[in-house]
Amino acid sequence: MIYDNGPMLEKKKHGKYSFWSNMLYHLQNLFRWEPGIFWLSILWPVAAFIGNFAGNLLPSVIVEGLTQGWRMETALLRILLLVIVMLIGNTTCYVASNLVSLGNNTYRTHYARPFAQKKMRVDYDILESEQFQNNANAAYTAIFHGRGLTSLIEILPDVFYCAMPLLFYGVLLARVRWWIPLLALVSSVISMGLLKFARGKHSQSYPVQEAISKRLSYLTETSMEPAGGKDIRMYHMADWLLKKYEDSLNQMNREYAKVHNWYTLTGTGQVLVDLVRNGLIYGYLLMIAAAGEISLSEFVLYFGLLNSFSGYFTYGSGQALFLGVCSNVLSSMREFFEAKEHRNEGENLPLEEVERWIDGGLTLELRNVSFTYPGQEKPVISHINLTIKLGEKLALIGLNGAGKTTLVKLLCGFYQPTEGEILVNGLPLEKIERRQYYSLLSVLFQDYTILPGTVEENIASTYHPDKARMERALSESDFGTVLSKLSHKEESFLVKEVYDDAVDFSGGEKQRLLLARALYKDAKLLILDEPTAALDPIAENEIYLKYGELGEGKTSVFISHRLSSTRFCARIILLENGRIAEEGTHESLMEAGGRYAELFEMQSRYYREQAREEKRRRMMGD
Ligand code: ADP
């Protein structure tokens, strides 16, 4: 491959761990999880070293035999011995290094479980943070695509494989003349410098190539996909698009040619450097052989050693350079694994207190709460003072972007207020261990998740649901009626992408499933953050009423941008620009004739018109 090891991506050191500490981390893990691979990684370079040295000795032994006039048996025995050592060494190296390569995947999977655990355990705001996401992405590609980790398993023994003969051959050559290995080293360093230079040029061109490639793939996808295909035909875009495509292709070819030329130029330089080095050293060796200072067999031996010496240096140092990239990947991975999981680790509430809350229910109080997203200047939530009383049904309404979802995330403890505080039964939410707090909540988010598994696993979030609780949840949510039509009932699989025979529920049916999930959990605080956004207003209203009915006695917060869905709530809070704009019952707010009344009228008119339009279309048979 002309581009050798490719561009020097990620050549900068980043992360807080040093190169050596990363190598040690990797070796410790390898030794702990896969001791077999660890020892094989040492065995194959040693076997290769012995086999190769025997190979290097062989020609000189033959020459020695010929020049010294050994007896046939003696010569054959020595040659046979060397051939056996060479064969054993090379075969062991081949088998062991293949086993190491095979073990690669097993080694990587040891990181997979802690990876998944970490992603699911960290506090939500940590999960969302850019730093954590970047490290998680690096860890993901390392673990699941082998980037960095796969190379490490193979390259580290490779470096060892080169270092051993370099040291040994260096000493042997230095015994002839100290400057011989030095000259070989200097020439190899120049060769490496040339390669590094070409790779630097390759790196510079890489972002340009990537940009062109992105453009090319976008153009290809746009012109090939049915969505873009309509416009292309309608507006006769084909010629124009093709020209654009060709321009990008030509630009890409020019970039490739540029990189290719650099590699060719530096490659020629490397050949010249090798030529000078070999000319000098071989010439000198020939000279001293002619003068009788070294024998012919020694000349043959040194000739071979020198050749190997340069080869090992060029290959080994190329591999060692690549270890820097692996070290960066390990750094990101370690930062990911070692990231703090919780803000308030270790501050568990006494169990009796939690039980008292589970029995008694929850009161929430927001005291002058404000919140600004990291990196933003304007607060999304501003100075909110609000008490959500025990057993109360509260509606939180507002147009899109008013800050409702952000407020839900604050109530859930996913975010920490940037000002003010939230109290749960009088205790600052910050002080409560998150997992304990979550056990008290049932929250339905806009972007809810249905996971690959059975219906009952999705409802109970476990492999072994409590049958009585399940039955109650299914009957109260009316989801049981949906399931009764399925042959496998609650054991039907969900998510078509994973299970071929999975069932696919409609939007309304999925809402029933989520209702059953909330009922099964039977938590003391219920929050609905518009999980019904994809349903029509009437269906949303039905579901909300059902939750209202079933959540009797529980503290419940109903969020919607459709004002009609929450009119049954005893208290309605209208949120505008992150502030409480109005507050009251539906009737009192309508009577006041303020913003709520205005929005309600506007939405009712819109929905009425939509309903009329729908009816008209149905009558026209559209
Ligand atoms: P609502 O639920 O009422 O539609 P949101 O709470 O989702 O409102 O959003 C309120 C405002 O906060 C919007 O202007 C939105 O763009 C902004 N916002 C939401 N999430 C983020 C985020 N992660 N980073 C920065 N701004 C955000």
Side-chain angles (χ1 to χ4, degrees):
M1 161 92 172
I2 186 134
Y3 295 156
D4 225 335
N5 280 332
M8 291 186 293
L9 291 174
E10 298 177 66
K11 59 179 175 176
K12 273 203 315 281
K13 175 189 176 307
H14 59 70
K16 59 179 182 186
Y17 301 98
S18 72
F19 174 84
W20 295 111
S21 133
N22 285 333
M23 294 303 119
L24 195 67
Y25 171 80
H26 154 71
L27 288 174
Q28 276 172 341
N29 282 343
L30 188 64
F31 183 68
R32 186 155 44 111
W33 293 328
E34 294 294 335
I37 303 179
F38 178 88
W39 290 117
L40 285 172
S41 305
I42 296 176
L43 175 71
W44 84 249
V46 172
F49 170 63
I50 295 171
N52 288 347
F53 186 60
N56 268 323
L57 274 180
L58 197 60
S60 77
V61 167
I62 295 171
V63 173
E64 178 86 359
L66 288 175
T67 49
Q68 298 300 314
W70 286 350
R71 276 180 41 227
M72 194 61 164
E73 300 90 81
T74 319
L76 282 180
L77 195 70
R78 289 186 184 178
I79 291 171
L80 185 70
L81 209 67
L82 281 177
V83 169
I84 290 174
V85 171
M86 205 173 85
L87 285 179
I88 293 178
N90 290 348
T91 315
T92 313
C93 159
Y94 178 79
V95 174
S97 64
N98 270 308
L99 286 175
V100 169
S101 297
L102 272 178
N104 218 327
N105 289 330
T106 346
Y107 172 62
R108 282 196 278 126
T109 49
H110 286 286
Y111 290 100
R113 191 182 153 83
F115 174 85
Q117 270 177 339
K118 190 80 187 182
K119 277 210 112 175
M120 289 190 282
R121 273 190 189 158
V122 288
D123 281 352
Y124 186 78
D125 53 350
I126 299 175
L127 177 71
E128 268 193 347
S129 76
E130 200 183 335
Q131 171 80 15
F132 184 81
Q133 284 291 334
N134 288 344
N135 288 336
N137 286 341
Y140 181 84
T141 41
I143 298 165
F144 297 98
H145 300 301
R147 191 166 163 279
L149 275 189
T150 302
S151 325
L152 196 58
I153 286 264
E154 283 164 16
I155 289 176
L156 208 54
D158 253 359
V159 173
F160 181 46
Y161 155 77
C162 295
M164 263 185 304
L166 267 179
L167 211 70
F168 185 60
Y169 295 0
V171 170
L172 289 184
L173 287 167
R175 284 179 52 196
V176 184
R177 290 291 181 274
W178 61 267
W179 53 263
I180 293 183
L182 197 70
L183 185 62
L185 269 183
V186 169
S187 74
S188 303
V189 168
I190 297 174
S191 268
M192 273 308 298
L194 286 170
L195 176 64
K196 226 176 140 184
F197 178 79
R199 283 169 61 188
K201 290 287 174 194
H202 193 168
S203 294
Q204 279 171 12
S205 156
Y206 203 71
V208 184
Q209 287 180 24
E210 257 202 339
I212 306 171
S213 154
K214 218 188 281 175
R215 200 182 325 142
L216 272 171
S217 63
Y218 184 80
L219 284 174
T220 318
E221 277 160 25
T222 314
S223 46
M224 275 161 50
E225 290 309 313
K230 291 199 293 288
D231 279 345
I232 284 165
R233 282 158 184 77
M234 195 52 66
Y235 295 102
H236 304 294
M237 289 173 173
D239 289 343
W240 166 71
L241 210 60
L242 212 59
K243 172 85 176 62
K244 230 178 173 29
Y245 194 67
E246 276 169 5
D247 285 349
S248 298
L249 274 179
N250 290 337
Q251 208 184 342
M252 186 63 122
N253 284 340
R254 280 197 297 277
E255 268 315 303
Y256 280 152
K258 235 194 297 180
V259 174
H260 184 93
N261 289 343
W262 279 117
Y263 277 109
T264 313
L265 200 71
T266 52
T268 316
Q270 284 178 312
V271 172
L272 285 177
V273 170
D274 284 359
L275 200 74
V276 172
R277 179 204 57 209
N278 290 347
L280 282 176
I281 302 179
Y282 294 148
Y284 185 79
L285 285 178
L286 265 178
M287 211 173 77
I288 56 174
E293 194 181 321
I294 55 171
S295 67
L296 199 58
S297 67
E298 278 173 320
F299 171 80
V300 173
L301 176 68
Y302 294 137
F303 186 92
L305 292 188
L306 189 73
N307 226 358
S308 303
F309 185 85
S310 306
Y312 283 126
F313 186 83
T314 313
Y315 180 67
S317 45
Q319 296 296 73
L321 275 184
F322 202 64
L323 281 181
V325 175
C326 303
S327 164
N328 287 340
V329 172
L330 275 183
S331 261
S332 305
M333 214 165 87
R334 290 174 73 185
E335 275 179 50
F336 166 80
F337 282 124
E338 283 156 30
K340 195 169 175 336
E341 289 186 359
H342 306 295
R343 260 178 267 110
N344 54 353
E345 259 163 325
E347 290 195 48
N348 280 345
L349 284 179
L351 217 55
E352 315 85 70
E353 183 78 6
V354 181
E355 271 166 15
R356 207 152 50 79
W357 287 14
I358 290 175
D359 291 340
L362 295 182
T363 302
L364 294 177
E365 189 185 347
L366 284 83
R367 276 194 198 154
N368 195 30
V369 168
S370 298
F371 180 76
T372 310
Y373 277 102
Q376 305 287 316
E377 279 176 14
K378 257 184 71 187
V380 171
I381 297 292
S382 289
H383 307 289
I384 294 216
N385 284 296
L386 173 70
T387 304
I388 308 173
K389 294 186 261 334
L390 190 75
E392 185 180 18
K393 281 190 185 46
L394 179 84
L396 205 62
I397 54 156
L399 296 180
N400 282 333
K404 304 181 296 292
T405 295
T406 310
L407 197 58
V408 168
K409 288 182 176 164
L410 283 163
L411 289 177
C412 291
F414 288 160
Y415 298 153
Q416 214 179 331
T418 32
E419 206 185 321
E421 64 175 346
I422 299 175
L423 303 172
V424 183
N425 285 357
L427 234 133
L429 175 52
E430 246 335 276
K431 293 240 154 66
I432 306 169
E433 206 273 328
R434 285 295 175 277
R435 285 169 64 88
Q436 278 190 331
Y437 183 55
Y438 296 152
S439 64
L440 303 166
L441 315 188
S442 265
V443 188
L444 280 93
F445 300 101
Q446 284 176 21
D447 43 0
Y448 53 82
T449 42
I450 298 218
L451 298 168
T454 63
V455 170
E456 64 176 4
E457 282 164 19
N458 263 281
I459 292 174
S461 311
T462 163
Y463 281 116
H464 310 289
D466 178 317
K467 289 289 171 199
R469 251 168 94 182
M470 179 64 64
E471 244 170 63
R472 202 175 54 238
L474 288 179
S475 102
E476 284 184 358
S477 63
D478 288 343
F479 191 53
T481 350
V482 178
L483 292 182
S484 63
K485 294 179 205 133
L486 303 174
S487 42
H488 297 291
K489 307 274 184 297
E490 60 267 32
E491 279 163 21
S492 310
F493 278 98
L494 288 172
V495 184
K496 271 246 175 295
E497 289 82 352
V498 181
Y499 300 107
D500 289 339
D501 57 345
V503 285
D504 207 4
F505 290 125
S506 70
E509 287 165 343
K510 277 184 199 151
Q511 287 304 328
R512 296 277 159 192
L513 187 150
L514 296 180
L515 175 59
R517 187 190 270 175
L519 289 169
Y520 184 91
K521 187 170 179 190
D522 195 24
K524 284 295 157 182
L525 175 67
L526 179 67
I527 303 177
L528 277 89
D529 182 13
E530 297 194 275
T532 46
L535 300 186
D536 62 54
I538 300 170
E540 173 174 286
N541 185 241
E542 259 175 40
I543 296 269
Y544 272 38
L545 281 173
K546 184 88 184 167
Y547 271 101
E549 204 181 289
L550 293 168
E552 212 52 66
K554 288 182 178 159
T555 314
S556 316
V557 183
F558 294 86
I559 290 137
S560 184
H561 68 279
R562 291 163 176 156
L563 279 54
S564 57
S565 300
T566 54
R567 53 194 283 190
F568 69 92
C569 289
R571 188 156 62 120
I572 297 170
I573 306 260
L574 173 69
L575 211 62
E576 256 188 334
N577 300 322
R579 291 172 187 274
I580 297 180
E582 288 175 21
E583 183 177 344
T585 59
H586 170 70
E587 289 72 24
S588 71
L589 288 167
M590 287 305 282
E591 221 169 275
R595 184 81 174 124
Y596 178 89
E598 186 191 339
L599 288 174
F600 193 87
E601 275 306 324
M602 231 157 65
Q603 288 189 349
S604 309
R605 212 173 322 127
Y606 173 74
Y607 292 135
R608 268 199 306 273
E609 275 165 21
Q610 275 215 324
R612 253 201 307 275
E613 176 65 14
E614 180 68 19
K615 198 167 157 196
R616 190 192 65 78
R617 254 195 269 133
R618 247 182 284 135
M619 282 171 66
M620 303 282 286
D622 279 4

